[in-house]
């Protein structure tokens, strides 16, 4: 989960899809346990926001039931207007029936009071309320809320049926209103020999960003025998891959050391989708985000030539063997394809022509940077 933008506002991850599923299941089971055996309740969902919750709740409910919906509105923007519109009534005969109102969220209770009064006058056997979310700090009505999935603070949320001026209902998670991100955070990617390190040096000065190189971070931690460095070295000495968690924690520590930065250029990280997801979650928790993944694209044969030429003077043995070089490209292409898909899904992938002079390539990247 990462920061999302709807209209003019930003929202940060708040409640995951898995947690929502657990809450819905808990509510459905609790309602079922409280019903007399063989009783068929009628669930009434409040549209528009409740449609996802109601659908999932009904699927989790183990037993026969009837379902209906009523429609009204009491929201404009991010705050309740307390002006409840006309209720689209229910046609079923509710005499002697158990009616359970399903609400996605209850805050002031103004909307619910209107609905409750209507159903209370229909000679029902029982009238209960089940709400996915509840804001106790602003609830002002003398109404019984029989089932509460999760109590939350009074901050505007979207997702899972809830919207901000029409947008956001389709997200499977819940997002909470956040501040506008202040940092410019870039993932800089490129195959071996593409000049990624050279470009990072220019770009960090041009945009006053902090350059975080995974290789440099690893070497620093191992050389200084930090707790994370010793742990990473242990895995490396045993010929094992360093777990994502260790790498991510090193990067987190580096970000924390530069809390006042204008932003970061992440070089060589993330390398896997799980790392990308962890980075998104870490930044989102701070109200920040990855603005874009900028990838230098250079034909493989040209890069092989570059690296073989570099190997004549660099002293790096892995730059003198073409087979080893092409194996590195295979590994890069496999990982990059996954990350490209991941960032493209967020409209954050930018491929840059990496052929040309250093200055030309810097200018191409700068044009993208200026739009992020």
């Amino acid at each position: 989960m990462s920061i999302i933008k709807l209209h003019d506002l930003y929202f940060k991850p708040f409640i995951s899809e898995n947690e929502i599923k657990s809450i819905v299941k808990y509510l459905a089971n609790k309602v079922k346990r409280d019903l007399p055996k063989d009783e068929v309740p009628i669930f009434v969902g409040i549209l528009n926001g409740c449609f996802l919750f109601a659908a999932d709740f009904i699927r989790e409910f183990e037993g026969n039931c009837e379902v209906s919906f009523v429609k009204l509105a009491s929201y404009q923007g991010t705050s309740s207007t307390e002006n409840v519109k006309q209720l689209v009534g229910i046609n079923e005969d509710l005499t002697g029936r158990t009616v359970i109102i399903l609400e996605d969220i209850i805050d002031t209770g103004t909307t619910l009071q209107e609905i409750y009064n209507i159903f209370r006058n229909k000679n029902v056997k029982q009238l209960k309320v089940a709400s996915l979310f509840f804001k106790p700090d602003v609830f002002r009505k003398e109404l019984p809320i029989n089932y509460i999935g999760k109590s939350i603070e009074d901050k505007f949320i979207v997702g899972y049926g809830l919207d901000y001026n029409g947008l956001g209902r389709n997200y499977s998670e819940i997002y909470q209103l956040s501040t506008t991100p202040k940092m410019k955070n870039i993932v800089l990617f490129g195959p071996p020999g593409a000049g990624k390190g050279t470009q990072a040096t220019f770009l960090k000065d041009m945009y006053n960003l902090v350059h975080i190189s995974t290789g440099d971070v690893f070497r620093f931690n191992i050389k200084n025998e930090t707790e994370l460095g010793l742990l990473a070295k242990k895995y490396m000495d045993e010929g094992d891959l360093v777990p994502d968690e260790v790498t991510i924690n090193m990067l987190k520590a580096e970000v924390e050391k530069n809390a006042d930065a204008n932003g970061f250029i992440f070089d060589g990280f993330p390398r896997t989708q799980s790392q990308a997801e962890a980075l998104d979650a870490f930044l989102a928790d701070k109200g920040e985000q990855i603005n874009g993944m900028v990838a230098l694209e250079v034909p493989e044969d040209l890069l092989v030539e570059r690296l073989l030429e570099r190997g004549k003077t660099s002293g790096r043995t892995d730059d003198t063997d073409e087979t080893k070089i092409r194996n590195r490209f295979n590994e890069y292409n496999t990982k990059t394809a996954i990350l490209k898909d991941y960032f493209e899904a967020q409209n954050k992938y930018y491929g840059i022509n990496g052929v040309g002079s250093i200055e030309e390539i810097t200018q191409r990247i700068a044009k993208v940077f200026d739009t992020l």
Side-chain angles (χ1 to χ4, degrees), residues 83-154:
N83 294 321
V84 178
K85 296 180 180 178
Q86 180 67 39
L87 176 68
V88 178
I90 193 167
N91 297 320
E92 289 88 346
D93 181 6
L94 302 179
T95 303
R97 300 292 304 275
T98 292
V99 175
I100 299 174
I101 297 171
L102 299 179
E103 266 280 33
D104 50 352
I105 186 168
I106 297 173
D107 42 33
T108 64
T110 301
T111 298
L112 181 61
Q113 181 75 70
E114 183 81 9
I115 297 168
Y116 197 87
N117 291 341
I118 291 172
F119 284 106
R120 190 167 52 184
N121 294 325
K122 290 186 176 290
N123 300 316
V124 300
K125 175 185 174 182
Q126 278 192 104
L127 181 58
K128 293 186 175 183
V129 178
S131 183
L132 182 64
F133 301 118
F134 177 59
K135 294 182 177 179
D137 294 340
V138 293
F139 185 66
R140 299 199 300 265
K141 304 296 181 180
E142 296 292 330
L143 288 172
I145 312 299
N146 306 91
Y147 305 100
I148 295 172
K150 184 180 180 72
S151 294
I152 60 175
E153 60 185 327
D154 183 30

Side-chain angles (χ1 to χ4, degrees), residues 217 220-221 250-261 264:
V217 171
F220 173 85
N221 280 272
M250 283 188 188
L251 270 293
K252 286 181 179 180
E254 203 65 25
V255 170
E256 298 289 2
K257 284 195 294 187
N258 297 277
D260 296 328
F264 298 89

Side-chain angles (χ1 to χ4, degrees), residues 15-33:
I15 302 173
S16 70
E17 182 178 359
N18 285 337
E19 184 177 355
I20 293 171
K21 288 179 179 178
S22 296
I23 294 170
V24 174
K25 188 177 184 68
Y26 159 77
L27 285 172
N29 289 341
K30 197 166 192 315
V31 169
K32 176 61 178 176
R33 286 197 301 270

